[in-house]
Amino acid sequence: MEQLNPRAKEEDNDTMDIEFVVNRVKSGDKQAYAILIRKFEKKIYTYCYCILKSREEAEDALQEIFIKAYQDIDRYEERVTFSAWLYKIAYHHCLDQIRKQSRWQRLVSLYQEQQTLFYDNYNKQAGIEQAIHELLMPLNREEKNILLLKVVEQYSFEEIGQIMDCKSATLRKKYERLRKKLHQQKMYKGGVASGEIAKSN
């Protein structure tokens, strides 16, 4: 019987062979699923927290999302990345939670717990947290999700379409309108909007 590479349990970087680990889980290796949890739990938790604005709810959602992913892993196909497939489960789970609790204004600071993304150069500036809050306030739930998945997580429009069940061409148009909206509101200071978002095509 083929054995999982012992070093895989220690590996926690972008070069990990995710598809190999997924196939081990599909073949019945329950321990291999712990590798996937360690790989993605921080990002999925942050994503859920950004939508639900509750640590407790995000923690509960995280557990339920990984349980559902494990139960449905045989349905996963490599035509999309495992990461995008997992985000799709998280996206729909959080929407279900919002619907149940009538919380339509729960997407908040996308960057508070993401310390190594494109705001690195601004982390030391006073008031950055307030600037982020001001940026997100005028956006609706869909716009915030698109912004998170495109600019922060850097998914392609095709991948976002898989996550949000939307055509990539439609998402591209919505994103262009979002860029114009952010530019007009001048919420991004120092050229962040015209620089970082403009690069995310």
Side-chain angles (χ1 to χ4, degrees):
M1 179 178 177
E2 182 183 2
Q3 297 295 321
L4 187 67
N5 184 341
R7 294 188 61 189
K9 293 185 179 181
E10 303 298 329
E11 197 169 6
D12 187 26
N13 54 54
D14 292 338
T15 63
M16 178 189 291
D17 190 347
I18 296 299
E19 300 301 334
F20 173 78
V21 179
V22 170
N23 287 332
R24 295 307 305 154
V25 177
K26 285 183 175 182
S27 69
D29 187 347
K30 295 181 179 180
Q31 291 184 343
Y33 194 61
I35 300 173
L36 298 178
I37 293 175
R38 288 196 296 269
K39 176 69 176 177
F40 294 106
E41 64 180 343
K42 184 175 180 180
K43 286 187 175 182
I44 296 298
Y45 169 81
T46 301
Y47 180 70
C48 293
Y49 177 73
C50 287
I51 296 175
L52 302 173
K53 198 189 174 182
S54 166
R55 293 183 182 276
E56 183 177 350
E57 290 178 19
E59 289 171 358
D60 290 342
L62 182 67
Q63 293 183 29
E64 293 173 15
I65 288 163
F66 276 109
I67 289 172
K68 181 173 178 55
Y70 181 76
Q71 293 172 337
D72 293 347
I73 200 164
D74 286 335
R75 299 182 183 180
Y76 166 68
E77 299 177 358
E78 294 183 22
R79 58 189 178 85
V80 297
T81 65
F82 180 78
S83 176
W85 183 77
L86 192 60
Y87 267 94
K88 181 175 182 178
I89 294 175
Y91 172 74
H92 287 288
H93 179 81
C94 289
L95 288 190
D96 287 342
Q97 292 299 107
I98 291 171
R99 291 188 186 103
K100 290 175 183 177
Q101 301 168 15
S102 299
R103 294 176 179 176
W104 299 102
Q105 303 295 327
R106 290 299 188 181
L107 191 59
V108 294
S109 177
L110 306 179
Y111 316 106
Q112 187 175 4
E113 298 185 22
Q114 302 233 166
Q115 301 176 1
T116 59
L117 296 170
F118 68 81
Y119 274 112
D120 283 352
N121 293 332
Y122 302 88
N123 282 341
K124 296 182 180 180
Q125 294 183 13
I128 185 63
E129 192 170 322
Q130 179 63 27
I132 294 170
H133 178 72
E134 292 175 356
L135 162 69
L136 298 176
M137 280 298 292
L139 305 184
N140 62 40
R141 176 169 48 82
E142 182 182 62
E143 289 172 334
K144 292 170 185 175
N145 268 293
I146 293 174
L147 185 66
L148 171 65
L149 294 172
K150 180 61 180 172
V151 179
V152 179
E153 297 299 336
Q154 298 184 336
Y155 281 116
S156 67
F157 288 112
E158 289 73 18
E159 289 174 316
I160 299 174
Q162 289 288 339
I163 294 170
M164 298 181 65
D165 287 327
C166 185
K167 293 181 179 179
S168 60
T170 301
L171 283 168
R172 189 181 295 273
K173 291 178 181 178
K174 289 182 178 181
Y175 183 67
E176 287 302 318
R177 289 197 294 268
L178 174 58
R179 289 174 60 192
K180 292 178 181 179
K181 181 176 181 178
L182 290 172
H183 180 71
Q184 290 171 356
Q185 292 171 345
K186 298 180 180 180
M187 284 300 195
Y188 275 116
K189 305 291 184 177
V192 177
S194 58
E196 297 297 341
I197 291 186
K199 295 176 184 176
S200 301
N201 292 321

